[in-house]
Amino acid sequence: MKKALSLGLAVVMAASLTACGGGNAETTAAAKEDAAPAASEAAPAGDAASEAAPAGDAGSFKIGVIGPLTGDAATYGLAVQHGAELAAKEINAAGGINGAMVEVQAQDDEADPEKSVNAYNTLKDWGMQMLVGSTTSGACIAVAAETVNDNMFQITPSGSAVECVANPNAFRVCFSDPDQGTASAKYIGENKLATKVAIIYDSSSVYSDGIREKFVEEAANQGIEVVASEAFTADNKTDFSVQLDKAKEAGAEMVFLPIYYQEASIILKQAADKEFAPIFFGCDGMDGILSVENFDTSLAEGLMLLTPFAADAEEAKAFTTAYTEAYGDTPNQFAADSYDAVYAVKAAAEKSGITADMDASAICDAMVPAMTQITVDGLTGTGMTWNEAGEPEKAPKAVKIVGGKYEMQ
């Protein structure tokens, strides 16, 4: 089945759950309830390859994972690795996929497109049949050019650029950049959080600029005045005095930060130094700010971010406990996205009836149409479905940092 390329919003996100029904859909909820987390068996943090699953009579499926396991973005890549491993452990404990076990191997790309392609080739040599990755958008776009040529099934947990799922073999768990920008403006407007908003964004980042563009478009529909829109680049991301001064002088009640948490932590510190205390609002790249080394987390009090997962939420308790026991860390959205990606693979594999002795291309041919017929009750959304453009259909959520913890709003 050929997906239609969609450069706009895949769905009207506020109505996404309503539009997701279907008589042929099947859910993974029951399977997940029966699968007890095997956290004590998970691979240790930093180990790029998980333990091989014991192959039964039905063999084993080999799922590759690609992300930055080292470097500045390692928080994202390690979370993706660990989320995938935990899902695989649970699935294996519950009997596997169509009777076959699941093996997961992760490779480091340092968030670099060329290294991501190298990681992909390493996983192909290992015998990978399906890919969960890449983690970051630039790397994911580079690898997507390879997977479409190989007809390899690909689902990225967190590659949010539109181009990440432009090909018919690719899907994603997170919202796209345009969807995040539109949803953020809608959330702010519908909840009447602010009417005067400044934006500080990275103009050298496809992720950041893509979110900003759609935020500005939707802001006009929500009665939000963008009073300042100030850019920085990857070469100049340590001093935000000019951007903050312009936001303050413009009377911004809120500063929208469609950027990554490293730069956001600096902005929060410099804003506090200037006694500038608007509401700060970010997207999924903000997830991880509480783990920044030497960052005073009190500076993040009241910060909001569009994210479908909060580790402290009641519905995430079992996953958070298993993850913390296995890796000594608190899971973030990227871990949850990856966990859900593996369960989506399981649901589509069971729907399509694939077997572990099939080659990657045959598996892809079967998995692509199956992805549009499944429903997954996951950590990042209840009743998640996927459309033919590879986009997830689920309701957006936001959290606020209160007392050093995420509170789902």
Side-chain angles (χ1 to χ4, degrees):
M1 183 185 299
K2 182 73 175 175
K3 296 195 317 238
L5 174 61
S6 173
L7 296 180
L9 290 175
V11 293
V12 177
M13 294 170 58
S16 62
L17 292 182
T18 305
C20 291
N24 295 326
E26 60 184 35
T27 179
T28 64
K32 288 174 69 175
E33 289 174 1
D34 292 339
S40 61
E41 301 175 17
D47 187 356
S50 66
E51 294 178 8
D57 293 340
S60 61
F61 289 106
K62 292 187 174 183
I63 299 177
V65 174
I66 301 175
L69 307 183
T70 60
D72 291 343
T75 294
Y76 304 133
L78 288 171
V80 164
Q81 176 192 349
H82 297 160
E85 288 174 351
L86 276 186
K89 293 292 182 180
E90 290 182 10
I91 290 167
N92 288 339
I97 297 176
N98 298 335
M101 296 292 100
V102 178
E103 295 183 60
V104 172
Q105 183 180 128
Q107 290 292 325
D108 185 11
D109 67 4
E110 300 178 43
D112 178 87
E114 183 176 351
K115 291 179 180 178
S116 203
V117 172
N118 292 339
Y120 173 72
N121 289 328
T122 297
L123 289 169
K124 280 177 56 181
D125 291 341
W126 170 63
M128 173 177 59
Q129 294 162 295
M130 292 170 276
L131 174 64
V132 173
S134 295
T135 298
T136 56
S137 287
C140 189
I141 293 168
V143 168
E146 304 296 321
T147 64
V148 69
N149 288 335
D150 293 334
N151 200 34
M152 173 79 68
F153 178 80
Q154 178 179 7
I155 181 167
T156 173
S158 48
S160 55
V162 170
E163 296 85 352
C164 290
V165 298
N167 298 322
N169 63 307
F171 295 79
R172 73 170 122 231
V173 175
C174 68
F175 289 129
S176 70
D177 295 340
D179 285 350
Q180 289 195 67
T182 301
S184 294
K186 283 184 176 180
Y187 189 92
I188 293 165
E190 291 172 0
N191 289 280
K192 303 187 185 305
L193 300 179
T195 56
K196 293 186 176 183
V197 178
I199 305 172
I200 299 177
Y201 70 102
D202 182 353
S203 60
S204 64
S205 165
V206 172
Y207 166 83
S208 184
D209 197 34
I211 294 175
R212 177 204 62 82
E213 180 179 1
K214 290 299 180 180
F215 180 90
V216 171
E217 289 181 11
E218 183 58 31
N221 300 327
Q222 296 295 328
I224 297 171
E225 180 185 0
V226 177
V227 296
S229 184
E230 300 300 316
F232 65 92
T233 67
D235 296 327
N236 183 18
K237 56 180 183 178
T238 58
D239 184 356
F240 299 95
S241 296
V242 172
Q243 293 92 334
L244 288 167
D245 285 343
K246 289 187 177 181
K248 186 176 182 178
E249 291 165 3
E253 303 161 326
M254 173 182 285
V255 176
F256 181 54
L257 301 174
I259 59 178
Y260 293 114
Y261 65 88
Q262 296 95 332
E263 293 83 12
S265 67
I266 300 172
I267 288 173
L268 293 180
K269 173 63 169 63
Q270 293 178 359
D273 291 342
K274 293 176 176 292
E275 298 183 347
F276 180 38
I279 301 170
F280 288 98
F281 194 106
C283 296
D284 61 2
M286 187 70 73
D287 198 1
I289 192 165
L290 295 178
S291 64
V292 175
E293 188 175 359
N294 299 321
F295 175 64
D296 179 359
T297 57
S298 69
L299 297 175
E301 188 73 9
L303 180 147
M304 300 183 70
L305 60 147
L306 195 76
T307 178
F309 175 75
D312 297 313
E314 183 65 27
E315 60 270 23
K317 186 176 295 184
F319 172 73
T320 299
T321 298
Y323 190 98
T324 302
E325 289 177 355
Y327 303 108
D329 197 8
T330 302
N332 59 22
Q333 177 191 322
F334 292 80
D337 283 336
S338 183
Y339 180 91
D340 284 354
V342 175
Y343 269 104
V345 167
K346 177 181 185 291
E350 291 174 344
K351 183 68 175 177
S352 66
I354 62 172
T355 55
D357 59 354
M358 294 169 64
D359 65 25
S361 182
I363 286 174
C364 186
D365 287 340
M367 289 283 286
V368 167
M371 279 293 294
T372 63
Q373 302 174 51
I374 62 171
T375 299
V376 175
D377 288 330
L379 293 169
T380 66
T382 301
M384 288 189 293
T385 63
W386 282 263
N387 61 31
E388 291 187 352
E391 301 287 359
E393 299 182 343
K394 55 186 177 181
K397 302 176 184 178
V399 300
K400 178 187 287 188
I401 296 177
V402 178
K405 294 182 178 181
Y406 288 172
E407 285 190 358
M408 192 65 72
Q409 299 300 292

